[in-house]
Amino acid sequence: MGHETAWKRELAAAFTDPIALLSALELTPAQVPGLAPIPAPLLRPERFPLLVPRGFAALMRRGDPRDPLLRQVLPLADEAEVTPGFVSDPVGDHAARRAPGLLQKYRGRALLLATGACAVHCRYCFRRHFAYGEEGAQRDRLAAALAVLENADEIEEVILSGGDPLMLDDATLAWLIEALDRLPQLKRLRLHTRLPTLLPSRITERLCATLAGSRLQPVLVAHVNHAAELGPEAQRALLELSAIGAPLLNQSVLLRGVNDAVTALAELSEALLASRVLPYYLHLLDPVSGAAHFDVPETEARALVTELRQRLPGYLVPRLVRERPGEAAKTVLL
Ligand SMILES: *Cc1c(COP(=O)(O)O)cnc(C)c1O
Ligand code: SF4
């Protein structure tokens, strides 16, 4: 019980006020070019306010307004800009919906939006305009998705996503995994989560036991964009997850001003390996409205990954991909 309250307490203490975050970083608003006016007149700011756990903020460099971790989470005035081609549902999630919070785009795999909550609000997130939380009470909504999965014989892998699936409390998560366990056609359970690095205290013994106790093969896909995100606590959390026999993979988004340099990408791959994580995907930014200032053009992305391939062993080079609505898989660009 103590462990479960520890991560919840940490979450409750997260920064929600940009000024407080900047002040902890020894910065004044005047030192940050393009900071969103406060209170921010952003698109629905009440739905996507600043949210940054203190442990993540502690990994940011003091006094540096261009810190790559800070840039991922700090609302900028650029978010209010309207850019042609940048829309509210860039990857066709609406069309792929099979039940509330259940998406299927690809053969054999279904993605379950386990909760709309996250421990951090990433400014480039393609789900920033969605309000999953409004689709009814959590367990009722999940039960409706489970009922659809029961009759989906072709699904071999369920991907828990969100939001962040590890934001579910231990009891709900255990209930959900037990229900998935009983679906005979399922072989694998994949988790897409930022919590091992954003809120490492969430990776408890109990959580590891729940995952290890399932008959389903667990696969964990972390979401790390920069080597500096892998502090000692994150490393501990990842090693514990690895110890239960879950292959650890990582997906990143190629982001202007965060990781759009070959050195940053190489350091990220090496830092991931030190935590037993292999790079999986490097995504081009999904063109979601409000995030155009993070965009790195495809030609530049290809050049970066080409250079990365000349520097690193093949297993440390992520696949450069983009998601195109309606395609049978992510599109591999290189
Ligand atoms: C990205 C995605 C997946 C996973 O694709 P993989 O190539 O298997 O990693 C599954 N379902 C949906 C809806 C997705 O967007
Ligand atoms: S943790 Fe994932 S779902 Fe949540 S805001 Fe960040 S990118 Fe989006």
Side-chain angles (χ1 to χ4, degrees), residues 48 118 120-122 124-125 162-164 194 223:
F48 211 66
C118 295
V120 61
H121 287 163
C122 313
Y124 55 85
C125 180
D164 200 303
R194 273 206 101 168
H223 175 177

Side-chain angles (χ1 to χ4, degrees), residues 103 105-106 109 111 159 190 280-281 323 330:
L103 304 179
K105 294 181 182 173
Y106 308 140
R109 289 150 288 170
L111 196 138
I159 302 170
R190 193 194 316 182
Y280 179 43
Y281 283 153
E323 183 166 347
K330 309 271 191 263

Side-chain angles (χ1 to χ4, degrees), residues 195-197 200-201 203 208 232-242:
L195 264 57
T197 47
S201 56
I203 311 308
C208 291
E233 281 301 302
Q235 192 163 38
R236 173 206 61 87
L238 289 163
L239 293 179
E240 276 173 26
L241 287 163
S242 165

Side-chain angles (χ1 to χ4, degrees), residues 21-68:
L21 171 62
L22 291 176
S23 140
L25 296 173
E26 295 159 25
L27 285 166
T28 63
Q31 287 173 286
V32 185
L35 185 67
I38 295 161
L42 302 178
L43 303 160
R44 308 189 156 183
E46 73 285 2
R47 278 203 185 158
F48 211 66
L50 177 130
L51 181 64
V52 185
R54 281 171 193 265
F56 192 64
L59 299 170
M60 298 173 186
R61 285 192 299 261
R62 299 285 167 278
D64 181 2
R66 301 157 79 89
D67 178 84

Side-chain angles (χ1 to χ4, degrees), residues 88 172 259 286:
S88 71
T172 308
N259 55 12
D286 294 316

Side-chain angles (χ1 to χ4, degrees), residues 72 122 124 194 223-227 229 250-255 258-259 264-265 268:
Q72 293 178 52
C122 313
Y124 55 85
R194 273 206 101 168
H223 175 177
V224 183
N225 297 314
H226 193 278
E229 291 166 45
N250 183 61
Q251 51 183 345
S252 311
V253 184
L254 186 58
L255 298 165
V258 174
N259 55 12
L265 293 172
L268 171 59

